[in-house]
Amino acid sequence: MLTGRNILLGIVVLALGAFSILGLINPHRTPPRNQIDTLLVAQAIPKDEWIVEVVPPNGSLYGLMEKNGIPLPEIARVTFQFGDFIDVTTIQPGDTLKLKLTDDKQKIMKMTFVQEPTLRHLFTVTPDSLIYKEEQLPVKVVTKLLKGNLSGTLSHSLQEVGLPLQSAQQIINALETKINFRRDAKTEDEFMVLTDLRYFEGKLIPGGKVYYVSYKGKSAGKHELFRYEDPSPKSVLTGLYGPDGKIVRSSGSGVGFPLASMHVRSKFGRRIDPVYGGWAMHQGIDYKASMGTKTYAVSDGTVIAASYSGGWGNQVRIRHPNGLITQHAHLSAIKVRVGQKVRKGQVVGLVGSTGKSTGPHLHFGLMKNGVWINPTNLNMVATRELTVIELKDFHQQKQKILDMLQQYL
Ligand SMILES: [Zn+2]
């Protein structure tokens, strides 16, 4: 049996061992202090029992746990609760999952999930819950006004003045709704971006807020965009708007979001059936939402189903001009009827828990040629105009941005 004294003795023996090995390797010179420390640590502590896995392209946390032989009920138990703390739509290839298992490898004891170099999600698993702690490492944020002239592509030009790729893409997506770049972009067109730049350990990392964008060209004309930040942290309304607070709409084909604020509960794909257990293919995405939350048509179309239908509960299905069918299920109320034409952003129902459901959520499905496909494959853009109250807020935020801009001009 291991007693505290034995462990202590072990450490001392190991430490002595480390010293004598050092002595053998390097009899004439004392190694630097930090080298001794490293060796001592390596010798004295038993091997690191953390399993480290990196999310592969198209991979999931589920898959990583399955790969490590963790029993399926344990995976299901942990991953179902995971969504309460982490927006799983933000999980990307390259994110790192670390697991510490019990000795019999049947249960997860601790879990760390590192999303970007600066954000660590720490979990301690107990029999009935996950204890969660977030660790945000310090990031240096600098606000800068970046100016440049178009030379080559806009993406290249924006990155050349110091914007990270993600911000450049966000700006291009918005500007493309106003400017036909293929036709009107000219070398020497001027652009300006007021943005936060985020640095971690001296390295530029994505995620800085873009406050203001202007683009001026001989053929393209002058265009301005302002950031609107919705008070709700996961709101899809946060983003770049025109000076009048109008959303910058992509040319018709854009797909909206089914909810104003999205928090994924369960992703598309193979999962443990939350109601009956056992493997089941999940034919859509479950978004967490409270009872009665409005759900919106993601694109123009015609309602082809609007009634109670077995396990789906109250469901609405809409056929869109491109042939795709969207489905909103488990609704508490249906707000449209079969045959009705609906517009993108129109309310089609209220979130509920009808049919085979464990609690209020929106099941959102997307069907192509009779097959359910992953709705996240579609490029989603913000869905509705700002309300009168939100517009007032937008104009206040815009004024602050203009004041900020004065300091940098
Ligand atoms: Zn579902």
Side-chain angles (χ1 to χ4, degrees), residues 266 271 282-286 312 330 361-364:
S266 177
R271 68 164 180 183
H282 188 227
Q283 310 280 31
I285 297 183
D286 290 341
W312 295 124
H330 310 306
H361 74 282
L362 173 70
H363 173 98
F364 181 71

Side-chain angles (χ1 to χ4, degrees), residues 8-312:
L8 196 65
L9 199 69
I11 292 171
V12 169
V13 168
L14 284 168
L16 287 173
F19 275 121
S20 47
I21 288 166
L22 273 175
L24 285 174
I25 293 167
N26 202 344
H28 306 298
R29 203 156 49 95
T30 310
R33 177 77 210 153
N34 59 354
Q35 197 178 329
I36 294 177
D37 286 346
T38 312
L39 272 160
L40 278 178
V41 168
Q43 295 283 332
I45 294 176
K47 71 177 172 54
D48 189 8
E49 273 148 21
W50 285 93
I51 296 166
V52 181
E53 291 281 1
V54 176
V55 178
N58 296 315
S60 67
L61 297 183
Y62 220 110
L64 295 179
M65 292 182 186
E66 199 183 4
K67 183 181 144 195
N68 279 286
I70 299 162
L72 299 183
E74 175 70 358
I75 300 178
R77 186 174 79 82
V78 170
T79 50
F80 281 144
Q81 292 170 53
F82 196 78
D84 290 340
F85 306 101
I86 294 175
D87 180 355
V88 294
T89 55
T90 63
I91 295 174
Q92 303 227 356
D95 289 349
T96 306
L97 175 72
K98 288 172 79 181
L99 297 168
K100 195 168 233 171
L101 305 183
T102 51
D103 286 342
D104 60 6
K105 309 237 181 292
Q106 297 297 295
K107 291 209 177 303
I108 298 165
M109 285 189 326
K110 279 178 188 287
M111 231 168 37
T112 310
F113 187 63
V114 185
Q115 276 201 293
E116 53 165 18
T118 64
L119 182 58
R120 283 178 199 168
H121 306 282
L122 313 169
F123 294 92
T124 307
V125 184
T126 70
D128 47 68
S129 69
L130 302 186
I131 298 162
Y132 175 70
K133 213 178 117 219
E134 187 183 294
E135 196 180 275
Q136 180 80 60
L137 301 181
V139 175
K140 194 174 149 207
V141 181
V142 185
T143 308
K144 271 202 171 149
L145 182 66
L146 304 171
K147 291 188 208 181
N149 293 90
L150 193 66
S151 127
T153 65
L154 182 57
S155 175
H156 168 83
S157 310
L158 288 168
Q159 286 178 75
E160 204 157 70
V161 296
L163 269 179
L165 174 66
Q166 289 81 350
S167 301
Q169 253 150 12
Q170 186 199 347
I171 291 167
I172 291 163
N173 288 343
L175 283 176
E176 270 180 341
T177 68
K178 310 207 149 217
I179 301 168
N180 181 341
F181 277 97
R182 198 164 291 181
R183 192 186 63 202
D184 295 331
K186 302 272 185 278
T187 304
E188 296 308 301
D189 281 3
E190 295 166 25
F191 61 81
M192 218 157 59
V193 180
L194 182 66
T195 183
D196 280 349
L197 296 175
R198 302 171 74 232
Y199 296 92
F200 178 63
E201 290 173 351
K203 246 182 70 191
L204 183 66
I205 58 167
K209 295 175 181 177
V210 175
Y211 297 103
Y212 171 82
V213 179
S214 82
Y215 189 94
K216 206 164 86 187
K218 273 203 185 78
S219 309
K222 190 177 178 190
H223 301 275
E224 285 181 304
L225 301 169
F226 293 87
R227 178 184 174 84
Y228 169 69
E229 196 167 315
D230 195 66
S232 159
K234 283 187 202 307
S235 173
V236 294
L237 294 173
T238 296
L240 293 169
Y241 288 73
D244 51 1
K246 286 265 186 287
I247 56 173
V248 283
R249 244 185 228 288
S250 53
S251 49
S253 64
V255 177
F257 288 97
L259 295 167
S261 156
M262 313 260 280
H263 197 158
V264 171
R265 173 87 206 183
S266 177
K267 283 208 285 187
F268 186 86
R270 225 157 69 100
R271 68 164 180 183
I272 301 272
D273 187 301
V275 178
Y276 299 119
W279 282 106
M281 185 66 190
H282 188 227
Q283 310 280 31
I285 297 183
D286 290 341
Y287 293 107
K288 278 213 291 191
S290 47
M291 185 68 78
T293 305
K294 288 172 181 163
T295 172
Y296 308 97
V298 298
S299 182
D300 297 353
T302 307
V303 177
I304 56 166
S307 61
Y308 194 90
S309 173
W312 295 124

